[in-house]
């Protein structure tokens, strides 16, 4: 596979995203032998296309960080993707179902970096020292593939199912909290749909950022000051429907929410 084919597949996935249309996973008939490395090259083409369209990167995100999701996908390493400025939804506002294919929501902790972090060998402690703030967040994922049916390379190529993110209004210093112990509930219409603790994310959400820095180093990149990084779901991902009032409560970090309209 060469750059031309990576770009062609990236356009195919981006069109599906823009037209809110699900597609058959690319490993079914387009690229059955797609490797993880080549999948990241397709993702890079998606990033370039979005930048060419005038969007800017808010920061990378980590996905598949829970033991449950890694086991389900039979992988030992999480994946990453990128969040863009047009994906950020204001806290408390309404999102329209028509902007998505089949969205799901998960509660996460976002890190705001005060300093650059460059792998290899980065530890969670180094991440905490380089972090200005942590924020409660809700990530809306929306795989472009039919029924969220994908293999690992498929989902990497599809920018790790990234779609939207809602960030809470309250910023906390990471040293003020024990982030692995942050109890989290995800509620819809007042009913708790899932719950967990920060430790669900690779033992501690800072470990997720450290792993991301080390993964990015492999392609000669680093995390930079000012980036907002989603560390991965503390809760599982819950399907959204019209009329849903979604709220996550994270102990010590506060609440974040949004509503779903037609
Ligand atoms: O943010 C995530 O953990 C999602 C990663 C992709 C897997 C999925 O779409 O469930
Ligand atoms: Mg996520």
């Amino acid at each position: 596979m060469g750059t031309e084919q990576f770009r062609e597949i990236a356009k195919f996935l981006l069109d599906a995203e823009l037209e809110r249309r699900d597609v058959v996973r690319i490993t079914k008939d387009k690229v059955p032998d797609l490797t993880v490395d080549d999948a990241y090259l397709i993702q890079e083409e998606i990033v370039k296309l979005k930048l060419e369209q005038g969007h800017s990167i808010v920061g990378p995100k980590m996905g598949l960080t829970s033991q449950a999701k890694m086991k389900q996908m039979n992988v030992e390493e999480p994946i990453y993707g990128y969040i863009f400025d047009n994906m950020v939804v204001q806290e408390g506002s309404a999102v329209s179902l028509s902007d998505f294919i089949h969205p799901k929501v998960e509660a996460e902790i976002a890190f705001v970096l005060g300093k650059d972090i460059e792998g290899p060998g980065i530890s969670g402690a180094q991440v905490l020292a380089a972090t200005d703030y942590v924020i409660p967040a809700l990530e809306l994922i929306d795989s472009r593939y039919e029924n969220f049916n994908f293999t690992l390379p498929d989902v990497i190529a599809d920018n790790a199912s990234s779609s939207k993110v809602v960030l809470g209004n309250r910023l906390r210093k990471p040293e003020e909290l024990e982030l692995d112990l942050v109890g989290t509930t995800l509620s819809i219409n007042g009913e708790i749909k899932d719950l967990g603790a920060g430790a669900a994310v690779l033992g501690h959400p800072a470990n997720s950022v450290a792993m991301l820095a080390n993964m990015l180093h492999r392609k000669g990149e680093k995390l930079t000051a000012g980036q907002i990084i989603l560390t991965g779901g503390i809760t599982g991902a819950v399907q959204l429907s019209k009329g849903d009032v979604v709220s996550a409560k994270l102990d010590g970090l506060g609440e974040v929410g949004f509503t779903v309209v037609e």
Side-chain angles (χ1 to χ4, degrees):
M1 275 180 86
T3 311
E4 257 327 294
Q5 202 187 353
F6 294 144
R7 198 161 175 93
E8 195 183 301
I9 296 170
K11 278 190 183 143
F12 170 76
L13 291 170
L14 199 53
D15 284 349
E17 179 183 343
L18 293 174
E19 293 163 22
R20 291 84 163 110
R21 179 171 50 77
D22 58 6
V23 294
V24 174
R25 65 183 159 82
I26 54 176
T27 57
K28 183 122 193 255
D29 36 40
K30 283 188 181 298
V31 272
D33 300 327
L34 185 66
T35 62
V36 163
D37 286 348
D38 281 356
Y40 274 115
L41 292 175
I42 294 172
Q43 188 193 98
E44 271 180 35
E45 292 301 321
I46 289 187
V47 169
K48 281 187 209 157
L49 287 166
K50 285 180 183 280
L51 292 173
E52 283 166 21
Q53 289 168 357
H55 305 303
S56 57
I57 293 175
V58 171
K61 64 161 256 190
M62 285 288 263
L64 304 182
T65 48
S66 69
Q67 285 304 327
K69 275 196 187 180
M70 276 194 267
K71 201 167 162 198
Q72 187 192 332
M73 297 297 296
N74 199 19
V75 290
E76 280 162 25
E77 191 175 69
I79 61 173
Y80 60 83
Y82 290 88
I83 301 294
F84 286 80
D85 56 349
N86 64 327
M87 296 178 174
V88 178
V89 174
Q90 206 185 336
E91 208 287 312
S93 64
V95 299
S96 172
L97 260 195
S98 60
D99 287 342
F100 301 89
I101 302 166
H102 41 201
K104 297 181 185 179
V105 65
E106 54 190 15
E108 307 205 3
I109 296 176
F111 279 49
V112 185
L113 296 187
K115 295 192 186 104
D116 293 0
I117 307 178
E118 187 164 9
I122 294 295
S123 67
Q126 284 171 290
V127 168
L128 289 172
T131 301
D132 269 353
Y133 301 105
V134 285
I135 320 176
L138 286 165
E139 185 187 15
L140 288 84
I141 54 173
D142 196 26
S143 172
R144 269 50 71 171
Y145 301 120
E146 282 176 354
N147 304 316
F148 273 78
N149 183 338
F150 45 68
T151 65
L152 186 70
D154 286 303
V155 67
I156 291 169
D158 186 30
N159 194 22
S161 305
S162 304
S163 180
K164 302 270 183 221
V165 57
V166 188
L167 299 168
N169 290 328
R170 198 164 153 211
L171 308 177
R172 293 292 306 269
K173 291 275 180 199
E175 59 272 20
E176 291 170 3
L177 297 146
E178 289 184 87
L179 291 175
D180 51 341
L181 301 182
V182 168
T184 300
T185 56
L186 173 62
S187 301
I188 298 191
N189 302 325
E191 187 186 331
I192 294 179
K193 296 289 184 187
D194 202 9
L195 49 81
V201 181
L202 300 172
H204 191 296
N207 293 340
S208 175
V209 182
M211 197 175 271
L212 175 60
N214 295 329
M215 289 168 86
L216 289 178
H217 169 75
R218 291 185 210 148
K219 59 172 186 175
E221 291 181 12
K222 62 179 179 179
L223 297 171
T224 55
Q227 282 185 327
I228 301 176
I229 298 163
L230 291 180
T231 53
I234 295 174
T235 65
V238 177
Q239 188 87 44
L240 290 172
S241 307
K242 185 179 77 168
D244 282 348
V245 178
V246 182
S247 162
K249 285 187 190 159
L250 291 85
D251 288 341
L253 281 171
E255 267 190 67
V256 54
F258 65 94
T259 57
V260 183
V261 296
E262 194 153 5

